[in-house]
Amino acid sequence: MKLNTKSRYAVMALADMAVFSSDNAVSLRDISLRQGISLLYLEQIFLRLKKNNIVKSVRGINGGYILVKSPKELKISDILLALDQKVKTIGCKKDSKKSCNGKSTKCITHDFWDELDIHINSFFENKKLSDLLKNREARI
Amino acid sequence: MKLNTKSRYAVMALADMAVFSSDNAVSLRDISLRQGISLLYLEQIFLRLKKNNIVKSVRGINGGYILVKSPKELKISDILLALDQKVKTIGCKKDSKKSCNGKSTKCITHDFWDELDIHINSFFENKKLSDLLKNREARI
DNA sequence: CTAAAACTTGACTATTTTAGTCGGGTATAT
DNA sequence: ATATACCCGACTAAAATAGTCAAGTTTTAG
């Protein structure tokens, strides 16, 4: 059970922005260099972040990206959502009448997986980007 | 971020056993029919469960599998462990000095991912197989 | 005005992982 | 003896992942 790199890099890049913001836009090139993430890959990621209104862009020289919300207000769950990183740990369909393993009833473990999803999602809901920046000595 | 079907089916099958145990061994064939899981796939899963001492087998006619521990004592984390379903949500290597993104320092989000892993793992640690069987009206 | 920096976008691809299947066993109760 | 059920390694098709590539557009410094 692992998070994909897109989500991981997204959180990483946004944390980087929060640290190095200083009012003006942060370029992907800088993030790429500091965090060791491929520039091309970052572009793809930020496209999604922009579409989902996590960041806004400034074009041209000295352009880059700016956080729409402050790190204190930006929930990690918002970031993951922007990248379609659903925390849906298993295949049972939540709502459909004919769910789970093709049978018409809920599978024996159905409620358990639901509980798990809630448990994980609430973690992401309650974490703000600013929380990642606390007690960070080795900031790169 | 999702659990693989092996883990899901393992929990499902063991829950099934807990319900239909009745002292004698439970055959994979029965589990397969009740839970709608391929028999061939179940065999592969139970091989692992046996190796990891979650179940023991009885060969021959009327054979099958028996839970080693009672459902009250069997932690879900034990089951996942048997199937190599590590909850290691990201790629950062936990211990190595040169971790994360090839740099020598911990990445900016490192501690956060560790926290996430702990959060999820503790969920599995604290759940017992017997917990899944409570308030189950639709038992299949 | 123009060149360079930086964002924009869709398409493409190699690799890895997943979710199984297959085939040929071995043990044992009846 | 023979059917039932466990045992086990190898195999494979399909999907997901982790990126790369190409071909732009926009803006601003000089």
Side-chain angles (χ1 to χ4, degrees):
Chain A
M1 181 152 77
K2 52 187 223 280
L3 216 56
N4 59 20
T5 56
K6 274 201 182 85
S7 302
R8 177 189 161 199
Y9 289 161
V11 174
M12 223 162 148
L14 292 170
D16 178 278
M17 286 180 69
V19 173
F20 295 97
S21 57
S22 71
D23 287 347
N24 28 26
V26 180
S27 75
L28 294 188
R29 195 172 157 278
D30 288 353
I31 297 175
S32 167
L33 290 173
R34 281 194 295 258
Q35 302 301 331
I37 304 170
S38 145
L39 176 60
L40 262 24
Y41 206 27
L42 273 178
E43 287 183 346
Q44 203 184 103
I45 291 166
F46 272 74
L47 203 63
R48 306 273 210 104
L49 292 176
K50 192 194 168 182
K51 267 182 186 152
N52 285 274
N53 208 39
I54 308 290
V55 296
K56 57 188 171 191
S57 65
V58 179
R59 301 186 75 154
I61 280 183
N62 296 326
Y65 289 93
I66 298 172
L67 290 169
V68 168
K69 294 183 188 175
S70 80
K72 265 196 159 64
E73 294 167 314
L74 181 54
K75 291 188 286 188
I76 302 299
S77 54
D78 293 334
I79 303 172
L80 301 189
L81 209 59
L83 293 157
D84 292 333
Q85 181 64 33
K86 292 193 195 70
V87 175
K88 187 75 207 63
T89 45
I90 50 122
C92 300
K93 276 160 210 142
K94 220 155 195 158
D95 321 297
S96 122
K97 272 288 179 285
K98 60 164 27 198
S99 53
C100 305
N101 40 13
K103 310 224 173 176
S104 57
T105 43
K106 286 201 294 185
C107 75
I108 203 169
T109 50
H110 192 110
D111 293 337
F112 175 66
W113 304 124
D114 277 357
E115 231 184 293
L116 171 60
D117 286 350
I118 290 167
H119 188 253
I120 298 175
N121 275 311
S122 77
F123 181 83
F124 291 131
E125 283 279 334
N126 293 322
K127 282 282 174 183
K128 307 290 191 309
L129 187 61
S130 57
D131 293 330
L132 309 207
L133 276 28
K134 292 171 189 165
N135 35 309
R136 162 185 49 82
E137 310 94 312
R139 67 148 65 178
I140 301 247
Chain B
M1 181 151 78
K2 53 185 224 281
L3 216 57
N4 58 23
T5 56
K6 274 200 180 87
S7 303
R8 177 189 161 201
Y9 289 161
V11 174
M12 223 162 147
L14 291 171
D16 178 278
M17 287 179 69
V19 172
F20 295 96
S21 56
S22 71
D23 287 347
N24 28 26
V26 181
S27 75
L28 294 188
R29 192 171 159 279
D30 287 352
I31 298 175
S32 167
L33 290 173
R34 280 193 296 257
Q35 302 302 330
I37 305 170
S38 144
L39 176 60
L40 261 26
Y41 207 26
L42 275 177
E43 285 184 348
Q44 203 185 103
I45 291 167
F46 272 74
L47 207 61
R48 306 273 210 102
L49 292 176
K50 192 194 167 181
K51 267 182 188 152
N52 286 274
N53 208 39
I54 307 288
V55 295
K56 57 189 172 190
S57 65
V58 179
R59 302 186 77 156
I61 279 184
N62 296 325
Y65 289 93
I66 299 171
L67 289 170
V68 169
K69 294 182 188 176
S70 81
K72 265 197 160 67
E73 294 168 313
L74 181 54
K75 292 189 286 187
I76 303 298
S77 55
D78 292 334
I79 303 172
L80 301 188
L81 209 60
L83 293 158
D84 293 334
Q85 181 64 31
K86 292 192 195 69
V87 176
K88 189 75 209 61
T89 46
I90 51 124
C92 299
K93 276 160 212 143
K94 217 153 198 161
D95 321 295
S96 117
K97 272 287 179 282
K98 59 163 30 198
S99 53
C100 306
N101 40 14
K103 310 223 173 176
S104 58
T105 44
K106 286 201 295 186
C107 74
I108 203 169
T109 50
H110 192 110
D111 292 338
F112 175 67
W113 304 124
D114 278 356
E115 230 184 294
L116 171 60
D117 286 350
I118 290 167
H119 188 253
I120 299 175
N121 275 311
S122 77
F123 180 83
F124 292 130
E125 283 279 334
N126 293 322
K127 282 281 175 185
K128 308 292 192 306
L129 187 60
S130 56
D131 293 331
L132 308 207
L133 276 26
K134 292 171 189 164
N135 35 309
R136 161 186 50 83
E137 312 92 313
R139 67 147 66 178
I140 302 248

